[in-house]
Amino acid sequence: ERPIETLEKAIKGTQADRDRIQAGKCVVHWFKCDTRITDNKGLRLASNTAKKHNVPLICLYLISPQDFEAHLTAPVRVDFILRNLHVLKGDLGDLNIPLYVETVEKRRNIPSKLIDLCTTWGARHVFCNAEYEVDELRREAALTKACLETGISFNVVHDSCVVEPGKLKSGSGGPISVYSPWLKKWCAYLNQNPNELDKFPPPDKNARIARSKYSELFDTEIPAAPASKQLTEDERKRFHSMWPAGEHEAQNRLHKFVLERIAKYHDTRNFPGANGTSVLSPHLAAGTISARTLVREAREATPVKKLNDDRKQGHSMWIAEVAWRDFYKHVLCHWPYICMNKPFKPEYSKIEWQYDLDQFSKWTEGKTGFPIVDAAMRQVAYTGYMPNRCRMIVASFLAKDLLLDWRMGEKWFMEHLIDGDFASNNGGWGFSASCGVDPQPYFRIFNPLLQSEKFDAKGDYIRKWVPELAEIQDSRGIHDPYNRGHGKLAETNGYPRPIVDHKEARDRALARYRAGIGRK
Ligand code: FAD
């Protein structure tokens, strides 16, 4: 049984008993990756229930250092999560709603901590939004039953995806593993059910709450990051100015993007120097904005009110990209074994990978001698973010040119990205290494030089991130300095020679892939 089915069964199986539970002294919303008050389904339902029973709403966030380790959460992302909590606490405080924050050292103690707190507060109704990783689905299924045994109604709702996993089925009734037909169904579903894009208003103000009674909850401090996830002073300053936190920032970013850039998105999105994308992924990953909000606002900004898969129009192209996020979360629910280090395509598990740690280090440090790869790797190290086109280039380079196990790259990305998200990251790596769901065919191997010439034609992106090459004004030479007349300058400035020959690497990859999957 898939974990998502276990959860659905637990929800359905306990519904009648949960409906009978009395008011209690308060209602609790448990925040996870949904740290916002606007357009948050679980939070709104919690607020409705509090109103119905005429009791206050209390909000809770449990920090788990072990979860950060288990999910390989990057320090820049941990810092972003904690800063988002400060904004959330302020926003909730304005509504007279406390946000109680506590650190739980061992992740296995989260369920008992939640039940203990609810018991202490006299809460009988708890709400949260579902997360789709295997452990989280299993935990929430178990919590639904465990809470009921103590007389608490635990309510898990679907909010993170625009279309709930399980709603879209193939002609034969099964899940869909190819993006294009899936996208058609996704658009059709939302066109038929337009209310799925309705906005959930922020929670109501807590009218009857004696601050003195709840002062302990209002006064909790948001802790610093655990020791293993601390930033240096330099990083702290940089990331704080680069990545302002909170849902207001996310909304401003969205409005600006929709106003100024979305119409040209289909033309500009692939050019890393063009600033053509929304850069909302850190906020989506943290839950400071909802994917539903993105789709609704993009749709409202175009005269075409029906969603469609027209990739030649900025708004629909962007909505289709937001849909990729849903697609990969659906895939995770339907094929949960991808959470266990296995490729989506089992026949690709026999490919013989290299484990050359020296080459891996050169990739991580941006010292491969391929300027576009190095620029992208240095950008992510400095900012925690990399544009999608560059993610595809560096991932293909790792898996195919270096023949390194794609899981090494997948892990490294999670450890460094501010927007690290298991489903999208695993999906992106599987696509690039050709062993994921609906991937690039294995024989399509990006040529880093051609990618560089096409998507950074003038070389501005390279100049920005690879200072050793910044003096090269020649827009041909900058992509391949050692073979195009700038070897001396590159060498003097300490820029490395290419660590592989792309043509040889390509032939080696094709042979290795063919041998692995048993093709002639
Ligand atoms: P926009 O182009 O403005 O798109 C809007 C939103 O749509 C994004 O914020 C994102 O939520 C979603 N989206 C767009 N493209 C994709 C895509 N290909 N797959 C899934 N969702 C998409 N995205 C993450 O959020 N977290 C990751 O850990 C992650 N790892 C990746 C690893 C690899 C190897 C690859 C190839 C892609 C990965 N992506 C990941 C997807 C994509 O690169 C980023 O979502 C995108 O670059 C974020 O920039 P943006 O917000 O400006 O996107």
Side-chain angles (χ1 to χ4, degrees), residues 257 265 269 276-282 284-285 294 318 321-326 328 385-389 391-392 395 413-414 417 419-422 424-429 431-432:
F257 173 73
Y265 179 76
R269 68 189 194 101
T277 70
S278 68
V279 195
L280 276 164
S281 52
L284 283 161
L294 266 56
W318 190 64
E321 289 301 299
V322 177
W324 271 107
R325 177 180 174 278
D326 264 26
Y328 286 135
Y385 175 83
M386 191 194 286
N388 185 57
R389 172 58 48 180
R391 293 187 205 210
M392 292 196 291
F413 260 35
M414 285 307 277
L417 284 172
D419 63 12
D421 170 80
F422 177 81
S424 294
N425 191 43
N426 181 270
W429 276 95
F431 175 87
S432 302

Side-chain angles (χ1 to χ4, degrees), residues 270-273 372 389 393 450-457 461:
N270 272 315
F271 300 94
I372 190 78
R389 172 58 48 180
I393 295 172
L450 297 183
Q451 290 286 318
S452 189
E453 287 176 328
K454 187 165 178 195
F455 297 110
D456 186 30
Y461 178 70

Side-chain angles (χ1 to χ4, degrees), residues 113-172:
K113 172 53 76 183
L114 182 86
I115 294 175
D116 285 354
L117 287 172
C118 290
T119 309
T120 312
W121 299 335
R124 291 267 165 253
H125 297 268
V126 183
F127 287 80
C128 69
N129 292 313
E131 294 174 315
Y132 299 113
E133 286 82 1
V134 167
D135 287 350
E136 280 67 11
L137 286 169
R138 288 199 179 126
R139 180 187 66 194
E140 267 56 303
L143 256 171
T144 307
K145 292 180 186 158
C147 279
L148 196 56
E149 280 161 21
T150 29
I152 296 169
S153 167
F154 182 73
N155 302 277
V156 190
V157 299
H158 295 281
D159 175 70
S160 165
C161 290
V162 186
V163 175
E164 184 183 320
K167 289 276 182 216
L168 309 181
K169 299 211 162 64
S170 68
S172 56

Side-chain angles (χ1 to χ4, degrees), residues 32 68 82 118 200 225 230 289 320 347-349 493 495 500 505 516:
K32 294 179 283 177
F68 289 151
L82 296 175
C118 290
F200 291 96
Q230 298 254 333
I289 199 157
E347 68 272 28
Y348 280 68
S349 52
N493 288 349
Y495 187 69
V500 286

